[in-house]
Amino acid sequence: MRKIAIALVAIASIGLSGCGYSRGDRAVSGGLLGAGAGAAVGSLSGNAGTGALIGGGAGALGGALTSGHDVNLGRPIWR
């Protein structure tokens, strides 16, 4: 069960890290979305804080390393 949850967080953070056009926008949106997904999965294992940190880091990294040409989910809500 735990391996499935970790795999789902990884897939979600990569898929959701594509909001925005600049690297900064993509890193911020990926970090926020990854932290939310990580906290949700982490709460299942009893440690939402650790899940949020791991998910936020993975999402921010995924957002910063991808370009708008690879994954583009549109304009972020803060722009």
Side-chain angles (χ1 to χ4, degrees):
M1 177 71 175
R2 185 172 180 178
K3 289 181 182 181
I4 293 172
I6 292 172
L8 289 175
V9 168
I11 291 169
S13 65
I14 291 169
L16 296 174
S17 65
C19 295
Y21 298 107
S22 70
R23 283 188 185 254
D25 284 344
R26 298 170 70 77
V28 168
S29 64
L32 291 172
L33 293 168
V41 173
S43 67
L44 296 175
S45 66
N47 199 343
T50 302
L53 288 174
I54 293 170
L61 186 64
L65 294 178
T66 58
S67 74
H69 301 292
D70 297 332
V71 178
N72 189 353
L73 299 178
R75 190 174 174 203
I77 59 172
W78 58 86
R79 295 278 176 174

